Amino acid sequence: MATEVNYGHHDRGSKALIDFPHVMTGATLQMGRGWTVVAELEYERFRTDGQWQNNFRDNYTTNKLYINKSWNKALNVKAGIIDVPVGTTNSGGPALTIYDPLDESTLMPMTWHEGGVALWGRCKRLHYEAGVYVYPTAPLKESRLLGVATRVGIEPVDGLDLSMSYFYGSSKEGMAQRPNLNLAKFDHVRHVAFDFAYVANGWTLDGQLTSCSFHYNKAAGVEVGYDVATLLGLNNFTVTPFTRFDGYFHVEGVSCNKWTAGLNTSLPFGFALKAEAAIVNPSNDRCCYYFDLSLGWQTDF
């Protein structure tokens, strides 16, 4: 179980922002003989300009709810509500910022999930996932094929992961129709991403290049942080100052750059403290400034 509360000030808002960007709970049921059931539920609640968003349907989501059969590390099958593993965030990669990275969240949904079935596994330094996704309806016989996705990666050295991912399908149904900007809805849309992550020896270094076939929109992001607690040999908490760059290009005719500097810590008893400041520079407007301070708590039962 994890929860997080954030206080922020964005200079275009008339009032401070208070929200709960991540309230998550999850469980894994081991049924024996390689069978497991995995569930992850998430609720978000935002208060902007003095008003709470009260639409529960928009704030709640079932990120995962599937059954998995494992024969060995190299061969697994899962079916149900499963992830669409395109890009860093959707694949559970490292993220030091409080909110989802601007570059990825502009072009595609975050914590992207759909109903479907996927084959996945890991063999030595290689890992893969390939899934088929559907848009279910009632009656079920009218359900439609939503798309296919694949992700292939390699870990050439310990701590370093290099991955390519791809989605092809419709953006008219499911989460594919809900990126942050109002991209057009098509029967045939492609998302392509290359991402890398190095997490070792106190360093967190990750980045991604993403593109969408609609008007050839592109985005990129990179972040680097170092856990200074490792210098003191402390293992029960982390103190990681970091910097990040995000950019998207020619999305609805607009390009935007964002520079972020912050601090990401994990503290005893499951607490986490994060702080960050950012400058956002869109091509069609003036710069705006962001400050966010977040307190989180996580525990395992």
Side-chain angles (χ1 to χ4, degrees):
M1 179 178 181
T3 186
E4 189 173 2
V5 59
N6 178 70
Y7 168 85
H9 179 78
H10 304 166
D11 71 345
R12 292 183 181 174
S14 59
K15 296 184 181 180
L17 179 149
I18 300 174
D19 56 44
F20 297 86
H22 306 288
V23 180
M24 300 178 64
T25 184
T28 300
L29 175 63
Q30 302 284 351
M31 298 188 297
R33 296 189 177 183
W35 291 95
T36 57
V37 177
V38 177
E40 182 182 280
L41 315 178
E42 182 174 4
Y43 179 72
E44 303 173 324
R45 189 160 173 83
F46 300 98
R47 185 175 187 269
T48 306
D49 293 336
Q51 295 184 342
W52 289 100
Q53 294 184 7
N54 294 313
N55 191 326
F56 180 83
R57 180 180 178 181
D58 291 340
N59 294 343
Y60 166 81
T61 182
T62 301
N63 290 340
K64 299 176 184 178
L65 183 58
Y66 63 82
I67 187 167
N68 186 86
K69 169 60 177 177
S70 176
W71 287 272
N72 50 56
K73 290 183 178 181
L75 183 58
N76 301 261
V77 174
K78 57 185 176 182
I81 300 176
I82 60 176
D83 54 302
V84 182
V86 180
T88 300
T89 305
N90 289 325
S91 304
L96 296 173
T97 55
I98 296 172
Y99 295 102
D100 294 325
L102 177 66
D103 64 317
E104 290 187 310
S105 62
T106 298
L107 297 190
M108 57 188 174
M110 295 289 90
T111 59
W112 193 356
H113 55 269
E114 308 286 359
V117 58
L119 186 71
W120 65 280
R122 176 180 296 271
C123 181
K124 297 182 179 179
R125 295 187 178 272
L126 297 174
H127 59 85
Y128 73 94
E129 183 168 339
V132 178
Y133 307 90
V134 297
Y135 183 71
T137 60
L140 289 177
K141 66 180 182 180
E142 298 181 6
S143 298
R144 297 182 293 278
L145 178 66
L146 182 62
V148 296
T150 184
R151 180 177 179 85
V152 179
I154 185 172
E155 297 178 1
V157 297
D158 292 342
L160 175 63
D161 182 270
L162 307 173
S163 294
M164 290 288 299
S165 49
Y166 175 81
F167 171 85
Y168 173 79
S170 170
S171 62
K172 290 183 176 180
E173 297 93 9
M175 289 188 71
Q177 64 176 325
R178 297 190 296 175
N180 281 0
L181 299 183
N182 294 318
L183 304 180
K185 309 302 184 274
F186 293 105
D187 287 320
H188 306 283
V189 170
R190 294 180 299 277
H191 291 280
V192 181
F194 166 76
D195 58 89
F196 69 92
Y198 177 76
V199 183
N201 303 315
W203 288 98
T204 297
L205 175 63
D206 63 89
Q208 53 282 141
L209 299 171
T210 58
S211 68
C212 175
S213 60
F214 174 66
H215 286 185
Y216 302 101
N217 296 318
K218 296 178 176 60
V222 62
E223 69 181 359
V224 57
Y226 181 72
D227 178 16
V228 298
T230 60
L231 297 175
L232 304 176
L234 302 175
N235 298 320
N236 58 341
F237 62 91
T238 63
V239 179
T240 307
F242 71 91
T243 60
R244 180 176 180 91
F245 167 80
D246 292 281
Y248 61 80
F249 315 102
H250 310 301
V251 177
E252 295 187 328
V254 177
S255 298
C256 183
N257 295 321
K258 179 180 180 181
W259 294 269
T260 305
L263 182 70
N264 186 310
T265 72
S266 64
L267 306 174
F269 307 108
F271 287 97
L273 179 66
K274 303 176 185 178
E276 62 187 48
I279 300 174
V280 180
N281 184 21
S283 62
N284 63 339
D285 207 342
R286 64 176 178 87
C287 292
C288 58
Y289 303 90
Y290 291 72
F291 172 76
D292 292 283
L293 180 66
S294 169
L295 178 65
W297 179 74
Q298 179 174 341
T299 186
D300 297 322
F301 296 102

